[in-house]
Amino acid sequence: ILNVEQSPQSLHVQEGDSTNFTCSFPSSNFYALHWYRWETAKSPEALFVMTLNGDEKKKGRISATLNTKEGYSYLYIKGSQPEDSATYLCAFGNFNKFYFGSGTKLNVKP
Amino acid sequence: EPEVTQTPSHQVTQMGQEVILRCVPISNHLYFYWYRQILGQKVEFLVSFYNNEISEKSEIFDDQFSVERPDGSNFTLKIRSTKLEDSAMYFCASMWWGRTGSSTDTQYFGPGTRLTVL
């Protein structure tokens, strides 16, 4: 079983703050790293698929970077809004199988 | 927008009973998955399914579990004789994966079925 770790476990920020969290994964046999946004009582929603070392992806105020050689990915949220409150999951794997981190639970206070 | 659906949303069963969890993946997707999340733990991979057969399965997916795509639209997970420790949220996911060598496709998840074994 491969170990995928996310930190911090939870984060409380004020509206307007920028924040970032980390996903660590094994640096060998890299295939893809997925980021998901998961709101309570809903399905996890795909944010990014990261495949190449040095990848940077952006979707509105959310962006992600990837370092496959050292085995980490960062997710950044610029100017957090209350609607950004959710759990952010990363998953490492290939098309056959994915290993998930435990998630970072973000709470943005108005 | 197409979505993955799962039924039922909540299933309560007695230990030792068989349960079938149902999923309808997105219609043109080719890869299908089951995951579970025991309360307070990580989402765990159970099985992937492609071209009408299991592609990969985890050590959790023992002989008590089986998957089927009976009619070209549904994708089911059967647990033959449920145990207390099978209580969890079960998520189905699907992915297109229509292009050889492509790694940029993403999984689409259903809302989950909460299984409670008493």
Side-chain angles (χ1 to χ4, degrees):
Chain A
I1 296 178
L2 298 177
N3 207 21
V4 179
E5 297 292 338
Q6 288 187 249
S7 62
Q9 274 192 324
S10 65
L11 204 49
H12 296 261
V13 302
Q14 288 294 134
E15 182 176 354
D17 287 351
S18 292
T19 186
N20 65 86
F21 3 105
T22 307
C23 173
S24 302
F25 50 85
S27 55
S28 58
N29 297 318
F30 180 83
Y31 192 84
L33 191 284
H34 292 200
W35 280 101
Y36 295 89
R37 180 172 179 276
W38 193 5
E39 289 182 74
T40 305
K42 293 189 178 179
S43 314
E45 173 199 347
L47 287 173
F48 303 114
V49 177
M50 320 284 290
T51 56
L52 299 174
N53 187 42
D55 251 357
E56 288 189 28
K57 298 261 172 111
K58 190 174 179 183
K59 197 178 201 176
R61 294 179 291 98
I62 306 177
S63 59
T65 61
L66 179 69
N67 183 324
T68 60
K69 293 185 179 174
E70 295 183 37
Y72 64 83
S73 176
Y74 293 138
L75 188 80
Y76 300 91
I77 302 180
K78 187 177 173 183
S80 304
Q81 300 295 308
E83 57 265 31
D84 295 329
S85 297
T87 296
Y88 291 83
L89 282 178
C90 66
F92 166 85
N94 58 34
F95 49 91
N96 269 325
K97 186 174 190 175
F98 285 90
Y99 296 92
F100 280 79
S102 51
T104 293
K105 188 169 183 177
L106 175 67
N107 182 31
V108 182
K109 296 178 188 173
Chain B
E1 187 175 321
E3 58 182 20
V4 176
T5 59
Q6 289 185 243
T7 53
S9 56
H10 191 190
Q11 173 94 46
V12 181
T13 190
Q14 294 290 326
M15 192 169 57
Q17 295 296 302
E18 174 184 285
V19 293
I20 297 176
L21 309 183
R22 292 185 165 80
C23 168
V24 179
I26 294 173
S27 62
N28 63 341
H29 284 189
L30 301 178
Y31 258 94
F32 313 112
Y33 308 83
W34 283 102
Y35 294 89
R36 77 174 186 190
Q37 187 183 35
I38 295 170
L39 191 63
Q41 297 185 21
K42 290 182 180 182
V43 173
E44 299 174 289
F45 168 80
L46 292 177
V47 66
S48 57
F49 191 86
Y50 173 74
N51 202 25
N52 284 319
E53 60 183 23
I54 289 175
S55 184
E56 188 152 352
K57 58 184 181 179
S58 71
E59 53 279 358
I60 303 167
F61 195 90
D62 61 21
D63 292 344
Q64 292 300 311
F65 291 88
S66 62
V67 287
E68 207 176 30
R69 190 155 158 80
D71 56 13
S73 63
N74 289 284
F75 178 51
T76 61
L77 174 70
K78 183 194 286 187
I79 309 175
R80 286 192 184 83
S81 178
T82 49
K83 305 181 192 123
L84 294 175
E85 53 265 35
D86 292 328
S87 294
M89 275 293 273
Y90 287 80
F91 292 96
C92 171
S94 68
M95 186 162 73
W96 181 40
W97 200 258
R99 297 157 290 180
T100 303
S102 171
S103 58
T104 57
D105 291 339
T106 189
Q107 295 175 94
Y108 290 81
F109 281 82
T113 293
R114 180 169 298 286
L115 177 65
T116 302
V117 183
L118 302 175

